Amino acid sequence: AQKITQTQPGMFVQEKEAVTLDCTYDTSDQSYGLFWYKQPSSGEMIFLIYQGSYDEQNATEGRYSLNFQKARKSANLVISASQLGDSAMYFCAMREGLNNFNKFYFGSGTKLNVKP
Amino acid sequence: GAVVSQHPSRVICKSGTSVKIECRSLDFQATTMFWYRQFPKQSLMLMATSNEGSKATYEQGVEKDKFLINHASLTLSTLTVTSAHPEDSSFYICSALEYTEAFFGQGTRLTVV
């Protein structure tokens, strides 16, 4: 089974509106971390937000928030007040356990296009 | 946040030659670094886990002799693509862990002609 599933290959959103990018995960570990990265066309991976499995509150970072539904194993990214510069690929990732050797599993990504 | 520097950002090489890509953690020590390969419009595929002072751990299907990884110090890991072929053309990206976060290099776009 896939560790991380992103079911939206592409999304469009109007500038200044909010958008939700879906992510579900699969793990039997109790300790894990969930991440969202942005990858613009230049290729670099930009860290956006992190949610630990034991965090009771949803993570927020500026215009980014993570809607963490532990029972559903979902970690959707919400971008509020979309900007043109938000157009990029977005990857959801998970790291199982807290050991430094634990790998990151990435989803297939969602390409977000923000329309003016 | 922590900085990971990857060099070169772009490289073009002739088929049959070898190419070395460097990944440096600039302001922290990284005992573990990861190397990924990304095909156009696809996700990152983990190639190997690079551990300082020991052999790298390769993912299934990744040729160890083709993609040589050396992690000689706590701040530097290198990936050498040996006897490169056009099908090795891809975007290679490294990451290093600091606590719970992974920081990524800028990536290297390799084109083999």
Side-chain angles (χ1 to χ4, degrees), chain B residues 54-102:
Chain B
S54 64
K55 290 183 179 180
T57 305
Y58 289 82
E59 294 300 298
Q60 194 171 10
V62 177
E63 299 176 58
K64 301 177 184 182
D65 296 332
K66 175 85 175 158
F67 300 99
L68 300 179
I69 290 172
N70 185 282
H71 195 152
S73 78
L74 287 171
T75 59
L76 174 64
S77 176
T78 60
L79 168 67
T80 302
V81 183
T82 62
S83 186
H85 290 283
E87 56 265 30
D88 297 326
S89 298
S90 190
F91 188 67
Y92 295 86
I93 191 164
C94 69
S95 76
L97 292 179
E98 186 184 45
Y99 304 113
T100 58
E101 282 193 46

Side-chain angles (χ1 to χ4, degrees), chain B residues 39-55:
Chain B
F39 291 104
K41 299 182 180 181
Q42 294 190 25
S43 188
L44 280 71
M45 288 176 42
L46 180 66
M47 299 174 65
T49 302
S50 169
N51 303 304
E52 187 268 336
S54 64
K55 290 183 179 180

Side-chain angles (χ1 to χ4, degrees), chain A residues 35 37 39 41-45 47 50 91 95 98-104 106-108, chain B residues 31-32 34 36 38 42-44 46 49 51 59 91 93 97 99-102 104-106:
Chain A
F35 302 76
Y37 288 88
Q39 187 181 44
S41 56
S42 54
E44 76 264 34
M45 296 288 282
F47 167 76
Y50 166 80
F91 290 99
R95 182 173 163 222
L98 299 175
N99 190 304
N100 265 357
F101 297 99
N102 295 124
K103 299 180 283 193
F104 271 73
F106 284 88
S108 53
Chain B
T31 55
T32 303
F34 300 97
Y36 297 87
Q38 187 180 28
Q42 294 190 25
S43 188
L44 280 71
L46 180 66
T49 302
N51 303 304
E59 294 300 298
F91 188 67
I93 191 164
L97 292 179
Y99 304 113
T100 58
E101 282 193 46
F104 287 81
Q106 303 95 319

Side-chain angles (χ1 to χ4, degrees), chain A:
Chain A
Q2 282 203 351
K3 290 282 186 180
I4 295 284
T5 303
Q6 292 179 255
T7 57
Q8 305 154 314
M11 290 278 286
F12 284 91
V13 65
Q14 201 69 38
E15 192 179 9
K16 299 180 185 177
E17 291 186 353
V19 63
T20 298
L21 306 184
D22 294 342
C23 173
T24 57
Y25 60 93
D26 182 29
T27 182
S28 56
D29 278 20
Q30 295 301 308
S31 299
Y32 53 90
L34 297 158
F35 302 76
W36 276 93
Y37 288 88
K38 173 184 177 181
Q39 187 181 44
S41 56
S42 54
E44 76 264 34
M45 296 288 282
I46 301 169
F47 167 76
L48 296 178
I49 198 166
Y50 166 80
Q51 179 87 42
S53 58
Y54 295 116
D55 296 339
E56 294 187 352
Q57 295 207 337
N58 288 345
T60 59
E61 289 285 347
R63 294 187 299 111
Y64 304 108
S65 61
L66 198 151
N67 186 357
F68 183 42
Q69 302 281 326
K70 196 170 183 176
R72 296 183 180 182
K73 293 189 176 179
S74 74
N76 299 340
L77 176 70
V78 180
I79 305 175
S80 62
S82 298
Q83 301 172 357
L84 295 178
D86 294 334
S87 294
M89 281 291 288
Y90 288 80
F91 290 99
C92 180
M94 176 177 68
R95 182 173 163 222
E96 292 173 314
L98 299 175
N99 190 304
N100 265 357
F101 297 99
N102 295 124
K103 299 180 283 193
F104 271 73
Y105 298 94
F106 284 88
S108 53
T110 296
K111 185 168 175 57
L112 178 66
N113 285 292
V114 181
K115 298 186 291 185

